[in-house]
Amino acid sequence: MSGPALKHVDSHKAIHEAALNEAIELTNFLDKLVRDNHTEKALELAYVIVEQWETRTLRHAEAEEEGLYKELVEENPDLNEDIVALTRDHNLLRILIKEIKSTLKDDGINDGVVQKFQSLIIVDELHNQKEMEVLPEH
């Protein structure tokens, strides 16, 4: 069973916005560090951003998948396709994080890592928009 914050559109939207805005700010700062060749600081920040995505967005995604999404489909089976698509978005976020972690470990920080963090933001923005369309007001 999902918590009340996940079922209420306004509070759910606030959860998304807080995590996403934080990710955007951190990624913008990372981009500046990389462009200014502050490699050591950029690498440290990149790991912080990975942790932010894992603890804020991906943990939230797990809660949605384990509770909210199942409940929504039980209440309205017509939402199944949308829920499959939203879950795929979560999987794309997980794939990107895995790729970022691998690159950081093997090659360190580079512009490609910044681009993948920016891709995370784009996927999450689109996901959040769709989820707000699917999420009924309870």
Side-chain angles (χ1 to χ4, degrees):
M1 176 183 269
S2 59
L6 291 183
K7 287 185 166 185
H8 191 270
V9 173
D10 290 337
S11 59
H12 198 138
K13 185 175 180 181
I15 292 167
H16 285 189
E17 287 178 358
L20 186 58
N21 287 337
E22 185 177 59
I24 290 168
E25 287 180 31
L26 290 169
T27 301
N28 288 341
F29 187 50
L30 177 67
D31 185 41
K32 181 170 178 15
L33 289 174
V34 170
R35 283 186 283 117
D36 292 345
N37 292 315
H38 296 294
T39 308
E40 190 174 312
K41 287 181 182 179
L43 183 60
E44 288 176 26
L45 180 57
Y47 280 110
V48 168
I49 299 170
V50 165
E51 183 178 350
Q52 188 265 352
W53 277 99
E54 289 177 332
T55 60
R56 301 280 308 268
T57 303
L58 294 179
R59 192 166 293 150
H60 174 77
E62 287 173 20
E64 290 175 335
E65 292 168 4
E66 291 170 3
L68 178 66
Y69 288 0
K70 289 177 182 177
E71 291 172 21
L72 289 174
V73 171
E74 285 174 11
E75 292 171 13
N76 184 355
D78 292 340
L79 292 177
N80 190 59
E81 254 184 66
D82 290 325
I83 297 304
V84 168
L86 290 170
T87 302
R88 175 62 178 154
D89 294 345
H90 290 166
N91 289 333
L92 289 172
L93 297 174
R94 291 179 184 108
I95 290 165
L96 285 165
I97 286 294
K98 185 177 179 181
E99 289 179 2
I100 289 168
K101 288 168 76 171
S102 177
T103 301
L104 291 174
K105 180 180 174 252
D106 296 342
D107 303 322
I109 189 72
N110 57 49
D111 193 52
V113 169
V114 175
Q115 291 173 11
K116 285 189 176 162
F117 278 124
Q118 291 166 337
S119 297
L120 280 166
I121 291 167
I122 292 167
V123 170
D124 198 41
E125 286 174 332
L126 295 171
H127 169 83
N128 293 347
Q129 289 170 8
K130 182 62 178 178
E131 193 172 86
M132 290 303 106
E133 292 171 17
V134 170
L135 186 64
E137 188 67 51
H138 286 284

